[in-house]
Amino acid sequence: MVTISVIGCGRIGRMHLRNIAGCGGARLGPICDPYAADIEGLARDYGVAAVESAEAIFLDSSVDAILVASATETHAAYIEAGVKAGKAVFCEKPIDLDLERVDACAAAIAGLGGVVQLGFNRRFDPGHRAAFEALRGGEVGALHQVVITSRDPEMPPRSYVESAGGLLRDMTIHDFDLARFFLGEEPEEVFAVGNALIDPELGEELGDFDTAMILLRCADGKQCCINNSRTAVYGYDQRVELLGERGMLVSGNRRAHEMRRFGGAETERGEPYLYFFIERYGEAFVAELEAFVGCVRDGARPEVGFEDGRRALVLAEAAYRSIKEGRLVRVDEIS
Amino acid sequence: MVTISVIGCGRIGRMHLRNIAGCGGARLGPICDPYAADIEGLARDYGVAAVESAEAIFLDSSVDAILVASATETHAAYIEAGVKAGKAVFCEKPIDLDLERVDACAAAIAGLGGVVQLGFNRRFDPGHRAAFEALRGGEVGALHQVVITSRDPEMPPRSYVESAGGLLRDMTIHDFDLARFFLGEEPEEVFAVGNALIDPELGEELGDFDTAMILLRCADGKQCCINNSRTAVYGYDQRVELLGERGMLVSGNRRAHEMRRFGGAETERGEPYLYFFIERYGEAFVAELEAFVGCVRDGARPEVGFEDGRRALVLAEAAYRSIKEGRLVRVDEIS
Amino acid sequence: MVTISVIGCGRIGRMHLRNIAGCGGARLGPICDPYAADIEGLARDYGVAAVESAEAIFLDSSVDAILVASATETHAAYIEAGVKAGKAVFCEKPIDLDLERVDACAAAIAGLGGVVQLGFNRRFDPGHRAAFEALRGGEVGALHQVVITSRDPEMPPRSYVESAGGLLRDMTIHDFDLARFFLGEEPEEVFAVGNALIDPELGEELGDFDTAMILLRCADGKQCCINNSRTAVYGYDQRVELLGERGMLVSGNRRAHEMRRFGGAETERGEPYLYFFIERYGEAFVAELEAFVGCVRDGARPEVGFEDGRRALVLAEAAYRSIKEGRLVRVDEIS
Amino acid sequence: MVTISVIGCGRIGRMHLRNIAGCGGARLGPICDPYAADIEGLARDYGVAAVESAEAIFLDSSVDAILVASATETHAAYIEAGVKAGKAVFCEKPIDLDLERVDACAAAIAGLGGVVQLGFNRRFDPGHRAAFEALRGGEVGALHQVVITSRDPEMPPRSYVESAGGLLRDMTIHDFDLARFFLGEEPEEVFAVGNALIDPELGEELGDFDTAMILLRCADGKQCCINNSRTAVYGYDQRVELLGERGMLVSGNRRAHEMRRFGGAETERGEPYLYFFIERYGEAFVAELEAFVGCVRDGARPEVGFEDGRRALVLAEAAYRSIKEGRLVRVDEIS
């Protein structure tokens, strides 16, 4: 059994708590969240200790691994401390909003052989995964185009937006990782446009966007388009389309059930798509945890690690530069 | 070129006029409809003569074939006269509402070697036909169950219902033919229930039904269910489902286009299905005509002929007896 | 917290174990299965006691409820013992294969005020439930036709078939309950045909069927058709179609994910449907348990109780009589 | 009746011949194609004259309109001659591959008040049109993103590619027009990437592309992405997706019929999409002709005219410049 402590018990941390509790090969260790008022009750519900500081977790020899779901600005420090303490680390994205800090973190853990997995859950979605496997299995031949549609159901609160680091570092970062996952090699060039169409004040006050299109291109000419929006009123819109020389693979959206309505003005009308990431990627969150537990148990390298977190951020930086300068940016201008 | 005269130029006759005019191997001959006020104008539009009585058509040696789209009670007489005059006959369903009259008609044309095709258009629908071919090609192995859904978009006018001969002879007759088409052998047993749920007065005053379920079974145990209703507000509902030992084939409905709506309360909401038979089976009406023209040209036996018209009526009679007596009726009790 | 003991820890019992363990308001009590070799290990995994006989559970005052997932022939006795011991009872279907035994059980628990819920899980499927709620909410007006498609992915082992009581008592019993659920009143008449098409020896040796169509009709003329097969190679086929005067509601099948393939010979090709009841009705099994826990906690009457189990069996008996006598059977001939 | 002569009777010209012959308000005039060996037979089939040179058509006072379906390099001259001769002109796209020639043509017909309609048939596709009308009707609120997928089923012959003017002027030109149609205003900025992935020699020898992604942006920030490929083996892939603040509209692909296959490895597997433009846009070709006939009859301005043809070409030029210079190009740099 792998004992995992959770640091940061907000909404996503609590989901991880449940998943760890229900995971066959894992057991929950002490949990920590100085900002969660009900942390004691939460610990009681799961029959574990609540500790006041993460330090206690790093010192606890019964803990094999930590799951970092705290505020973004603490991620890098916890990764460093966890790796130095010999704990395997599962860290929610992003490593940090600042590439220099990410590089410093990389330097700090270099050579320590730590197991670090990044929370790019979408790679573990059953539909996206099936598309990936069909692609790698050669079903559609050489890949030519990737189209990723990624739209949130509604704008997050202004307070969230203010601290999230901008659309491309907060939301598109998942799509950058997904693009790398499917492309199977590093994109060489990035072009992006971003606008504040849903909330124009967002653009004026924060310089942020809520609507974006990003093109990526690899050295061999493979093309990828990412379509982002902060508001898809019909539900969390998460699609991947892979065009190959011999076919196409499409991973589509899910609904809570398959009931359809037919009436005088409609046929096959379905419910809105599953509301948001907790619902849509519920199975993916479980699967990424199981993969992590397997890596910790077997000492294996996680499929999606620190460097993947860094690479996604580099693409975000390249996209921001592209928006600023109105040109195709080479990724190696950034990294 | 095959010259075809149309007898009966109401709604369905006019559709056949257009199809004959647009058919590569056919040419329109004189037309006849004593009840159509604008028959002269219609003839002018198509550049043909309008004759006052069908007799003139039977005597016209330039006419190769007649298409009978007149009132049901005239069908058998036109078939007899047409065959005796050496014309190929395409007759809209049914041959007659009365089985004895059908048998008399059969006797009258026996041995004359006439080409008679019945207007069971659904066999020629591209989707139903593709299902038929996949089935005969062995794609799903032995056939076990057939489910035919057949629902009109709305109740016909009372005047139509009064003279149509009852739901099973008027509407289900198409489904009986379709069942025979897919089953590939004669059903041996029939069971049916019928109710007047949409228009209860229909039941009280005319003893007719608007909602029915009919089971058919072949000697080898193959089963077929037909679901009928006079009102499907979401459009003409015409589906066939073929369950075989190694798979299923489903021929579904069509819409005018593939536009889908997504909103706060819906995803993938489509338009209502194509409204009725003129729209839904438009391609089938063209294809059955082309098949007829081919038979006339080549002296071939039509795929769907007089005996098919008779067999479908026998099944309707068996179904009525089943409803009356509340039991499984053997088809050979009727025929 | 409601403490629930599980009696019978085979495949379906183990699924219930997991669901009880993961259910917010419930806690697992001692478990019992004299035929499960690994019952001790199972108990250890869940941190509960394994008792040798169900008697110990009935005597255990800490146990609020029992979940009966043992062999069918023991169900009625456990229901009686459970109710007499003051335990709420959740019993897998059927109560018994023999209607007299069911009636004796009813008599034995009459007046004791016990909470008994039957495992007709399909009522709790999110899609079927959404269709039910839309129907009851009046979205399609008066109900006219119900079509239930219910096909297993493959034939069960011969040993299972031999003891299962026949297709209609074993498999269709779920559909009879679902029909009653949607019809909203008792069917008055039943007609059925059954054949052994997949495994003809089944018919010859056991007199059982693997392929059936059953019609039900209510006093007001509402019609219902159930299509059953023991083999749908494309996955567990579980559909409900509700035709009303103002529209149609359809609850369809689910796949493990929404990946579709497009190639030279295909478009939108999906995976087979979820394999079987454990997968397809996974959410329904959880939801029925939650409903049961709520009833135990609140002393409420379960939505689906003993009488529902009895009614479904009565419909099965009526269907068998219909097959034997080739006629429409009135349900009150049985009950 | 509007009399229309066809100039250029190759594949697309013949389709227009059929459509004119079948169009209620139109009549075919003399036809002309010096390169069609069977032009006499073709004329006989339609009962019209075949003339040796288009000049005869311009001089024929019984001809109201010409439909230009000849080689691209002749389009502009025929438009000029037609307008000067007082004929309404329906011209297949593009006006010319050279923007200067287009501008010269514009100057030549300026002030003559001619009726000129461009063959941007996709605007008349029932699905795209329904999406357009729902959008303009306000169903999804303000438009934020447009995604146009446009992929041919297979590479055209090398000879075609060599003379077609490049992917963006030949194929994407339709998508540029469609983008303008949906955006409802002129895009201000263009960015594009193009690669020769299907036929790398195409790139090396002709400098052309077979795979492209193009971004367009309007002054108000609306974004549009066009995804092009010369090879979609699953059929002609023609989709439009419109994301608005209050919903999404999607116009999808069509198949020849709605038959779906279900088997051990698949569910709901459909046929490939309709093969190519003749099949997919068959209804659109008819509808654009009817619209043209209406304009000629009523002296109305065509919905899609000369300036639309020019605007689409300007976008193609901007996209080529973007590819060459690797930057966002302002459309007014070109026009």
Side-chain angles (χ1 to χ4, degrees):
Chain A
M1 296 290 265
V2 173
T3 301
I4 309 177
S5 279
V6 173
I7 300 174
C9 298
R11 188 155 82 114
I12 202 165
R14 275 155 215 247
M15 186 204 60
H16 285 302
L17 281 181
R18 280 194 303 278
N19 290 347
I20 294 169
C23 178
R27 163 168 48 207
L28 204 54
I31 63 176
C32 169
D33 188 332
Y35 303 102
D38 60 344
I39 185 76
E40 288 296 338
L42 200 62
R44 235 182 348 260
D45 285 354
Y46 285 99
V48 295
V51 297
E52 281 189 31
S53 125
E55 197 55 29
I57 288 171
F58 297 128
L59 293 172
D60 185 336
S61 65
S62 75
V63 173
D64 301 304
I66 58 169
L67 190 154
V68 180
S70 51
T72 292
E73 64 267 24
T74 67
H75 288 184
Y78 283 136
I79 291 173
E80 291 169 4
V83 170
K84 286 175 182 168
K87 311 300 187 196
V89 179
F90 181 104
C91 185
E92 270 303 324
K93 65 89 204 168
I95 301 172
D96 197 275
L97 295 172
D98 178 57
L99 188 55
E100 283 189 36
R101 180 66 188 89
V102 172
D103 286 337
C105 181
I109 63 172
L112 298 180
V115 169
V116 179
Q117 182 169 329
L118 255 285
F120 285 136
N121 56 305
R122 298 178 194 193
R123 292 187 182 217
F124 296 88
D125 174 68
H128 295 356
R129 174 65 58 161
F132 174 80
E133 284 169 4
L135 175 70
R136 288 292 172 267
E139 282 193 29
V140 296
L143 180 64
H144 289 172
Q145 289 189 326
V146 175
V147 180
I148 296 174
T149 305
S150 174
R151 295 166 182 159
D152 285 355
E154 55 182 331
M155 282 294 288
R158 174 60 71 103
S159 59
Y160 176 89
V161 173
E162 283 174 359
S163 66
L167 183 79
L168 305 185
R169 287 186 198 92
D170 170 47
M171 176 176 165
T172 322
I173 195 125
H174 274 297
D175 307 309
F176 285 129
D177 181 64
L178 213 46
R180 293 179 61 247
F181 180 56
F182 287 113
L183 290 169
E185 67 181 302
E186 296 305 323
E188 274 207 336
E189 297 165 309
V190 179
F191 179 82
V193 291
N195 290 85
L197 299 181
I198 302 159
D199 180 2
E201 291 181 11
L202 190 79
E204 287 164 31
E205 293 170 22
L206 304 182
D208 200 1
F209 318 118
D210 49 38
T211 305
M213 287 183 166
I214 302 109
L215 295 188
L216 305 173
R217 185 160 59 170
C218 297
D220 63 2
K222 277 199 297 282
Q223 304 165 352
C224 172
C225 178
I226 298 169
N227 299 317
N228 283 154
S229 170
R230 284 284 197 193
T231 302
V233 300
Y234 50 93
Y236 195 35
D237 191 354
Q238 294 286 308
R239 284 173 280 154
V240 173
E241 176 181 318
L242 308 174
L243 176 71
E245 61 182 341
R246 290 203 308 272
M248 179 168 68
L249 302 163
V250 174
S251 175
N253 289 304
R254 281 187 85 92
R255 302 178 181 95
H257 55 73
E258 303 303 316
M259 205 272 279
R260 301 288 177 273
R261 290 169 158 91
F262 300 69
E266 65 197 21
T267 48
E268 296 175 28
R269 175 184 154 200
E271 299 288 301
Y273 294 131
L274 287 174
Y275 176 64
F276 213 174
F277 59 92
I278 296 280
E279 296 83 15
R280 170 67 170 85
Y281 287 119
E283 293 162 299
F285 282 116
V286 169
E288 68 174 1
L289 181 70
E290 287 173 352
F292 176 65
V293 167
C295 287
V296 177
R297 192 188 52 219
D298 306 337
R301 188 186 171 77
E303 181 181 318
V304 50
F306 188 94
E307 180 61 12
D308 295 294
R310 185 182 176 282
R311 280 273 157 201
L313 187 61
V314 166
L315 291 174
E317 295 304 322
Y320 275 117
R321 185 173 298 181
S322 171
I323 288 174
K324 194 172 162 200
E325 304 183 2
R327 66 176 177 88
L328 193 63
V329 168
R330 289 191 55 86
V331 177
D332 59 16
E333 296 181 39
I334 306 295
S335 51
Chain B
M1 294 290 266
V2 173
T3 300
I4 309 177
S5 279
V6 173
I7 300 174
C9 299
R11 189 155 79 115
I12 202 165
R14 275 155 215 246
M15 185 204 61
H16 286 302
L17 281 182
R18 279 194 304 276
N19 290 347
I20 295 169
C23 177
R27 162 169 49 205
L28 204 55
I31 63 175
C32 169
D33 188 332
Y35 304 101
D38 59 344
I39 185 76
E40 289 296 339
L42 200 61
R44 233 177 357 254
D45 285 354
Y46 285 100
V48 296
V51 297
E52 281 188 30
S53 125
E55 197 56 28
I57 288 171
F58 297 128
L59 294 172
D60 186 336
S61 65
S62 75
V63 173
D64 302 302
I66 58 168
L67 190 154
V68 180
S70 51
T72 293
E73 63 269 22
T74 67
H75 287 184
Y78 284 136
I79 291 173
E80 291 169 4
V83 170
K84 286 175 181 168
K87 310 300 187 197
V89 180
F90 180 104
C91 185
E92 269 303 325
K93 64 89 203 169
I95 301 172
D96 196 274
L97 295 172
D98 178 55
L99 189 55
E100 285 188 37
R101 180 68 189 90
V102 172
D103 287 336
C105 182
I109 63 172
L112 298 181
V115 168
V116 179
Q117 180 169 330
L118 257 285
F120 286 137
N121 56 303
R122 298 179 195 192
R123 292 187 182 217
F124 296 89
D125 174 69
H128 296 355
R129 175 65 58 160
F132 174 81
E133 285 169 2
L135 176 69
R136 288 294 171 266
E139 282 193 30
V140 298
L143 181 63
H144 289 174
Q145 290 188 326
V146 176
V147 181
I148 296 174
T149 304
S150 174
R151 296 168 181 157
D152 284 356
E154 56 182 331
M155 283 294 288
R158 174 60 70 103
S159 59
Y160 176 89
V161 174
E162 282 173 0
S163 66
L167 183 79
L168 305 184
R169 288 186 198 92
D170 170 47
M171 176 177 163
T172 323
I173 196 125
H174 274 297
D175 306 310
F176 285 128
D177 181 65
L178 213 46
R180 294 179 60 248
F181 180 57
F182 287 114
L183 290 169
E185 66 181 302
E186 295 307 321
E188 274 205 338
E189 297 166 308
V190 178
F191 179 83
V193 292
N195 291 85
L197 300 181
I198 301 160
D199 179 3
E201 291 180 14
L202 190 80
E204 287 163 31
E205 294 170 22
L206 304 182
D208 200 0
F209 317 118
D210 50 36
T211 306
M213 285 183 168
I214 302 111
L215 295 188
L216 306 173
R217 186 161 56 171
C218 297
D220 63 0
K222 278 199 297 280
Q223 304 164 352
C224 172
C225 178
I226 298 169
N227 299 317
N228 282 154
S229 170
R230 283 286 197 191
T231 303
V233 301
Y234 51 91
Y236 196 35
D237 191 355
Q238 295 286 306
R239 283 173 280 152
V240 173
E241 176 181 317
L242 308 173
L243 177 69
E245 61 181 342
R246 290 204 307 271
M248 181 169 66
L249 302 163
V250 173
S251 174
N253 289 304
R254 283 186 84 92
R255 302 178 180 96
H257 55 72
E258 304 302 316
M259 204 271 279
R260 302 288 179 272
R261 289 169 158 89
F262 300 69
E266 66 196 22
T267 48
E268 296 176 25
R269 174 183 155 202
E271 297 290 300
Y273 294 130
L274 287 174
Y275 175 65
F276 212 174
F277 59 92
I278 296 281
E279 296 82 15
R280 169 67 168 86
Y281 288 121
E283 291 162 301
F285 283 116
V286 169
E288 69 174 0
L289 180 70
E290 287 173 351
F292 176 66
V293 168
C295 287
V296 177
R297 193 187 53 218
D298 307 337
R301 189 187 169 77
E303 182 182 316
V304 50
F306 188 93
E307 181 61 14
D308 296 293
R310 186 184 175 281
R311 281 273 156 201
L313 186 62
V314 166
L315 292 173
E317 295 305 321
Y320 276 118
R321 186 173 298 181
S322 171
I323 289 174
K324 195 172 162 200
E325 304 183 3
R327 66 176 177 88
L328 193 63
V329 169
R330 288 191 57 85
V331 176
D332 58 16
E333 295 180 39
I334 306 295
S335 53
Chain C
M1 293 290 265
V2 173
T3 300
I4 308 176
S5 279
V6 173
I7 300 174
C9 298
R11 187 154 81 116
I12 203 166
R14 275 156 215 246
M15 186 203 61
H16 286 302
L17 281 181
R18 280 193 303 277
N19 290 347
I20 295 169
C23 178
R27 161 169 49 206
L28 205 55
I31 64 176
C32 169
D33 189 331
Y35 304 101
D38 60 343
I39 185 76
E40 289 295 340
L42 200 61
R44 235 182 348 259
D45 285 355
Y46 285 101
V48 297
V51 297
E52 281 189 30
S53 126
E55 198 55 30
I57 289 171
F58 297 129
L59 293 172
D60 186 336
S61 65
S62 75
V63 173
D64 302 304
I66 58 167
L67 189 154
V68 180
S70 51
T72 292
E73 63 269 22
T74 67
H75 287 184
Y78 283 136
I79 291 173
E80 292 170 4
V83 170
K84 286 175 182 168
K87 311 300 188 198
V89 180
F90 180 104
C91 185
E92 269 303 325
K93 65 88 205 169
I95 300 172
D96 196 274
L97 295 173
D98 179 55
L99 189 55
E100 284 189 38
R101 180 68 187 88
V102 172
D103 286 337
C105 182
I109 63 172
L112 298 180
V115 168
V116 179
Q117 182 170 328
L118 256 284
F120 285 137
N121 55 304
R122 299 179 194 192
R123 291 187 184 217
F124 296 89
D125 174 69
H128 295 355
R129 174 65 59 161
F132 174 81
E133 285 170 4
L135 176 70
R136 288 293 172 266
E139 282 193 30
V140 296
L143 181 64
H144 289 173
Q145 291 189 324
V146 175
V147 181
I148 296 175
T149 303
S150 174
R151 296 168 180 156
D152 284 356
E154 55 182 331
M155 284 293 289
R158 173 61 69 103
S159 59
Y160 177 88
V161 173
E162 282 172 1
S163 65
L167 183 80
L168 305 184
R169 288 186 197 92
D170 170 48
M171 177 175 163
T172 323
I173 196 124
H174 274 297
D175 307 310
F176 285 128
D177 181 64
L178 213 45
R180 293 179 60 247
F181 180 57
F182 287 114
L183 290 168
E185 67 181 302
E186 296 306 323
E188 275 207 335
E189 297 166 309
V190 178
F191 178 82
V193 291
N195 290 85
L197 300 181
I198 301 159
D199 179 3
E201 291 180 13
L202 190 79
E204 288 163 31
E205 294 170 22
L206 304 182
D208 200 1
F209 318 119
D210 50 36
T211 305
M213 285 182 167
I214 301 110
L215 295 188
L216 306 173
R217 186 161 57 172
C218 297
D220 63 0
K222 276 199 298 280
Q223 305 164 352
C224 172
C225 179
I226 298 170
N227 299 317
N228 282 153
S229 170
R230 283 286 197 192
T231 303
V233 301
Y234 51 91
Y236 196 36
D237 191 354
Q238 296 286 307
R239 284 173 280 154
V240 173
E241 177 180 317
L242 308 173
L243 176 70
E245 61 181 342
R246 289 204 309 271
M248 181 169 66
L249 302 163
V250 173
S251 174
N253 289 302
R254 282 187 84 93
R255 302 178 180 97
H257 55 74
E258 303 304 316
M259 203 272 279
R260 301 289 178 273
R261 290 168 157 90
F262 300 69
E266 66 196 22
T267 48
E268 295 175 27
R269 174 182 154 202
E271 298 290 301
Y273 294 131
L274 287 174
Y275 176 65
F276 213 174
F277 59 92
I278 296 280
E279 295 83 14
R280 169 67 169 85
Y281 287 121
E283 291 162 301
F285 283 115
V286 169
E288 68 174 1
L289 180 71
E290 286 173 352
F292 177 65
V293 167
C295 287
V296 177
R297 192 188 52 219
D298 306 338
R301 188 187 170 77
E303 182 182 317
V304 51
F306 188 94
E307 181 61 13
D308 296 294
R310 185 184 175 282
R311 281 273 156 202
L313 187 61
V314 165
L315 291 174
E317 295 305 321
Y320 275 118
R321 184 172 299 181
S322 171
I323 288 174
K324 195 173 162 199
E325 304 183 3
R327 65 176 179 87
L328 193 62
V329 169
R330 288 190 57 85
V331 177
D332 59 16
E333 295 180 41
I334 307 295
S335 53
Chain D
M1 294 289 267
V2 173
T3 300
I4 309 177
S5 279
V6 173
I7 299 174
C9 298
R11 188 155 82 115
I12 202 164
R14 275 155 214 246
M15 186 203 60
H16 285 302
L17 281 182
R18 279 194 303 278
N19 290 347
I20 294 169
C23 178
R27 164 170 47 207
L28 204 54
I31 63 177
C32 169
D33 189 332
Y35 303 102
D38 60 344
I39 185 77
E40 289 295 338
L42 199 61
R44 232 176 358 252
D45 285 354
Y46 285 100
V48 296
V51 296
E52 281 188 31
S53 123
E55 197 56 29
I57 289 170
F58 297 129
L59 294 171
D60 186 336
S61 65
S62 74
V63 174
D64 301 304
I66 57 168
L67 190 155
V68 180
S70 51
T72 293
E73 63 267 25
T74 67
H75 288 183
Y78 283 136
I79 291 173
E80 292 170 4
V83 170
K84 286 175 182 168
K87 311 301 186 195
V89 180
F90 179 104
C91 186
E92 271 302 325
K93 65 90 205 167
I95 301 172
D96 196 275
L97 295 172
D98 178 57
L99 188 55
E100 283 189 37
R101 180 68 189 87
V102 173
D103 286 337
C105 182
I109 64 172
L112 298 180
V115 168
V116 178
Q117 181 171 329
L118 257 285
F120 285 137
N121 56 305
R122 299 178 192 192
R123 292 187 181 216
F124 296 89
D125 174 69
H128 295 355
R129 175 66 57 160
F132 174 80
E133 284 170 4
L135 175 71
R136 286 295 171 266
E139 282 193 30
V140 297
L143 180 65
H144 290 172
Q145 289 188 326
V146 176
V147 180
I148 296 174
T149 304
S150 175
R151 295 167 182 158
D152 285 354
E154 56 182 331
M155 283 293 288
R158 173 60 70 103
S159 59
Y160 176 88
V161 174
E162 282 173 359
S163 66
L167 183 79
L168 305 184
R169 287 185 199 92
D170 170 48
M171 177 177 163
T172 322
I173 195 125
H174 274 297
D175 308 309
F176 286 128
D177 181 64
L178 214 45
R180 293 179 60 247
F181 180 56
F182 287 113
L183 289 169
E185 66 181 301
E186 297 305 323
E188 274 206 337
E189 296 165 310
V190 178
F191 179 83
V193 292
N195 290 85
L197 300 181
I198 301 160
D199 179 3
E201 291 180 12
L202 191 80
E204 287 163 31
E205 294 169 22
L206 304 182
D208 200 0
F209 317 119
D210 49 37
T211 305
M213 286 182 166
I214 302 110
L215 296 188
L216 305 173
R217 185 160 58 170
C218 296
D220 63 1
K222 278 200 295 283
Q223 303 164 354
C224 172
C225 178
I226 298 170
N227 299 316
N228 282 154
S229 170
R230 284 285 197 191
T231 304
V233 300
Y234 50 92
Y236 195 35
D237 191 354
Q238 295 287 306
R239 285 173 279 154
V240 172
E241 177 181 317
L242 308 173
L243 177 70
E245 62 181 341
R246 290 203 308 272
M248 180 169 66
L249 302 164
V250 173
S251 175
N253 288 303
R254 281 187 85 93
R255 301 178 181 95
H257 56 73
E258 303 304 315
M259 205 272 279
R260 302 288 179 273
R261 290 167 157 92
F262 299 70
E266 66 196 22
T267 48
E268 295 175 27
R269 173 183 155 201
E271 298 289 302
Y273 293 130
L274 288 174
Y275 176 65
F276 212 174
F277 58 93
I278 296 281
E279 296 83 15
R280 169 66 168 87
Y281 287 120
E283 291 162 301
F285 282 116
V286 169
E288 69 174 1
L289 180 70
E290 287 172 352
F292 176 66
V293 168
C295 287
V296 177
R297 193 187 52 220
D298 306 338
R301 188 186 170 77
E303 182 183 316
V304 49
F306 188 94
E307 180 61 13
D308 295 294
R310 186 185 175 281
R311 280 274 158 201
L313 187 61
V314 165
L315 291 174
E317 295 305 321
Y320 276 118
R321 186 174 297 181
S322 172
I323 288 174
K324 194 173 163 199
E325 303 183 2
R327 66 177 177 87
L328 193 63
V329 168
R330 289 190 57 85
V331 176
D332 59 15
E333 296 180 39
I334 307 295
S335 50

